[in-house]
Amino acid sequence: MSLKIVNGWLQGVKQVISPFYNDRPSDKPISLLVIHNISLPPNQFGGPYVEQLFTGQLDPNEHPYFADIYQIQVSSHLFIRRDGEIIQFVAFDKRAWHAGISAFEGQENCNDFSIGIELEGCDSEKFTEVQYQQLAKVTLLLQQTYPLNNITGHSDIAPERKTDPGPYFDWQYYRHLLANKMQANLIKDQLERIEQALKKIDLWQALPPSQDAFLSQQPFALDTMKSYEWLQWIFIPRIRAIIDANSAIPPFALHPYFEEALKESENNIDHLLDLIKQLDELTQSK
Ligand SMILES: [Zn+2]
């Protein structure tokens, strides 16, 4: 699923409008992402209660714990369930009420300048893989859309009161996923540039080589394809598939081969070779 934000709302996810929001102060750009965990009743997953709390509809009679909290006015921008489902309650450009009394690097009232994401979870259990995947995907999109320059946990901005996202939130893994997805995006863009460059010098083909050519066992299908055919029909689709599958992109070095293979070319290949070199570097710089 590729995500997009329009007017502060993530497209293609469930929207449940919370009444608990207001305007952000105009002089405070959105600069911080705050990660939380929540489960209602505590440590129980899958119920409708978080949605009910964030919309003021929690029934105090349904569980003893709810009687204490049903009147609290809280919300977050996003809630990511154990199965990866994302629910948005408040537009990102509005102030959701997730942080409470808080301070980040001396700036108080973090709600003013932060986006809050709640993960369905607790302080004593691991989060799910798909939650990390969704969180990383959303984080990258938010970073591209808003001037976010920090990511923190609720417990870091309200250490006296809060413990979430808790010891089971794996910050290292989350940052690793962010770096991988960032790299994947850069590589995707670079493949697009290479495709355009091939088209510009008429080396992008409308029809694939014969099926036999694809059976080559040689590196770069040396014995059956031209270098640019291999690039178009084998390499680029393979890397795009790896990216779409969220798999790790192996480091590679295409430039030496292409420099050699294209040196007799009558086309203007300098730009293409530069792009291929940059592509190599993107996979080697980790
Ligand atoms: Zn929290």
Side-chain angles (χ1 to χ4, degrees), residues 149-166:
N149 43 36
N150 286 293
I151 304 173
T152 192
H154 198 187
S155 56
D156 295 309
I157 58 172
E160 309 281 294
R161 301 185 302 117
K162 295 292 175 180
T163 56
D164 63 315

Side-chain angles (χ1 to χ4, degrees), residues 101-132:
I101 299 165
S102 54
F104 181 78
E105 292 181 350
Q107 273 198 88
E108 296 191 342
N109 298 322
C110 296
N111 284 339
D112 290 353
F113 53 91
S114 70
I115 288 172
I117 299 184
E118 296 273 3
L119 300 174
E120 185 175 25
C122 59
D123 285 4
S124 56
E125 229 172 292
K126 285 184 176 175
F127 295 87
T128 66
E129 171 62 24
V130 66
Q131 284 182 302
Y132 283 107

Side-chain angles (χ1 to χ4, degrees), residues 192-206 226-229 231-232 258 261-276:
E192 183 60 36
R193 285 186 201 104
I194 288 172
E195 178 175 335
Q196 295 310 322
L198 284 166
K199 284 176 176 162
K200 213 167 172 184
I201 54 176
D202 294 322
L203 292 182
W204 189 261
Q205 302 171 326
K226 306 264 194 222
S227 59
Y228 52 86
E229 290 178 320
L231 193 60
Q232 176 181 353
F258 276 85
L262 291 172
K263 79 178 172 210
E264 311 279 301
S265 171
E266 287 167 13
N267 307 71
N268 184 1
I269 50 142
D270 291 351
H271 180 53
L272 177 64
L273 287 176
D274 284 347
L275 292 174
I276 290 173

Side-chain angles (χ1 to χ4, degrees), residues 23-74:
D23 287 332
R24 296 176 184 277
S26 54
D27 59 340
K28 300 231 178 122
I30 301 168
S31 59
L32 182 66
L33 180 62
V34 180
I35 313 289
H36 304 256
N37 81 46
I38 187 169
S39 49
L40 288 177
N43 308 327
Q44 291 182 36
F45 307 141
Y49 306 114
V50 173
E51 279 173 59
Q52 292 175 0
L53 178 67
F54 288 176
T55 50
Q57 293 175 3
L58 194 61
D59 180 349
N61 301 311
E62 284 232 19
H63 187 279
Y65 181 72
F66 297 171
D68 294 336
I69 61 163
Y70 78 106
Q71 288 175 311
I72 298 175
Q73 299 191 334
V74 287

